Amino acid sequence: FSMSHVSPMVHAPFISEALAEARAGLAEGGIPIGCVLVRNNQVIARGHNRRIQRGSVILHAEMDCLESAGRQTAAFYKECILYTTLSPCAMCSGAIRLYGIPRVVIGENKTFHGDETLLKTHNVHIDILDSKECRELLDNYIKEHHSIWNEDIGRDQQ
Amino acid sequence: FSMSHVSPMVHAPFISEALAEARAGLAEGGIPIGCVLVRNNQVIARGHNRRIQRGSVILHAEMDCLESAGRQTAAFYKECILYTTLSPCAMCSGAIRLYGIPRVVIGENKTFHGDETLLKTHNVHIDILDSKECRELLDNYIKEHHSIWNEDIGRDQQ
Ligand SMILES: [Ca+2]
Ligand SMILES: [Ca+2]
Ligand SMILES: [Zn+2]
Ligand SMILES: [Zn+2]
């Protein structure tokens, strides 16, 4: 399993799947952030933020996706790539570190900039796609839902 | 809200509640790690590891407890103390950082040493109680369930 020769082109279908998850979340009335876990070039699990839908404080998109992937060994996670529409927060970055996922592809990090530096320090390979679709979807949501958004990222209400 | 004058004695009843959660988990056939969230000197939420019981990879004791506490503002979390029988892993430490919980009281950190240094770097106040009860409960479990334990902490099976 080598990750040094993955071209940006191969990311497109998978970040599209993560974006589809984000849109599914929005259609449910939720925060539009989505994620997929890829192994052997196949999507093996999907997830999206479920704060509103389930009143959950732990089901960020990445956590929902990892939970959906089920119980796995460290060897399994080492062969996975996590695609997420948004830069992972401290909690989700911690989960990525706990399970030793070696690579994370991020749709955008403009609306929120997570723990990318910490992930890199722990040898997680990070790609930032700077996707306008990912950014606009979340940015439009945040403009309309400041309070929910601040809650989701643990920020003081302004 | 000041945390600089809390004596070690006040921790005893709360770590006992966390330990009771760990024992409840064991009685269900689960990994014996427990947690409570305390605010205004009262337990407001409880949790224990649910990997076995629910096939969950995200419901570590701390996560289960935070989920049980429900949706809260940053201002709310700032008044909380998290009591956990075991040193928090990368994921749980990330959740503590995300929500800005200012103080974590840890039963023991000998069976597993988590992200304490990172938490301190982010100005989370840490107390280690070095509880023999917490340690022995988990240590006995690990001796009998190496494979499940390695899975829970994202470690290669030996
Ligand atoms: Ca999310
Ligand atoms: Ca746990
Ligand atoms: Zn997150
Ligand atoms: Zn944990």
Side-chain angles (χ1 to χ4, degrees), chain A residues 31 49-60 63 91 151-152, chain B residues 58 66-67 70-71 77 99:
Chain A
I31 305 173
N49 189 298
R50 306 208 192 241
R51 175 171 295 268
I52 305 302
Q53 299 93 316
R54 297 213 193 145
S56 175
V57 307
I58 64 173
L59 288 173
H60 276 192
M63 306 294 286
M91 171 175 70
E151 184 192 306
D152 200 53
Chain B
I58 64 173
L66 289 172
E67 187 71 325
R71 290 175 53 188
Y77 290 117
Y99 291 119

Side-chain angles (χ1 to χ4, degrees), chain B residues 58-77:
Chain B
I58 64 173
L59 288 173
H60 276 191
E62 302 91 328
M63 307 294 286
D64 186 48
C65 182
L66 289 172
E67 187 71 325
S68 171
R71 290 175 53 188
Q72 304 294 346
T73 62
F76 180 96
Y77 290 117

Side-chain angles (χ1 to χ4, degrees), chain B residues 20-75:
Chain B
E21 279 295 315
R23 289 189 175 122
L26 186 67
E28 295 166 357
I31 304 173
I33 304 169
C35 182
V36 296
L37 193 64
V38 171
R39 185 165 176 265
N40 295 334
N41 222 37
Q42 290 195 312
V43 173
I44 57 159
R46 299 161 195 276
H48 55 260
N49 188 299
R50 306 209 192 241
R51 175 171 294 269
I52 305 302
Q53 298 93 315
R54 297 213 195 145
S56 175
V57 308
I58 64 173
L59 288 173
H60 276 191
E62 302 91 328
M63 307 294 286
D64 186 48
C65 182
L66 289 172
E67 187 71 325
S68 171
R71 290 175 53 188
Q72 304 294 346
T73 62

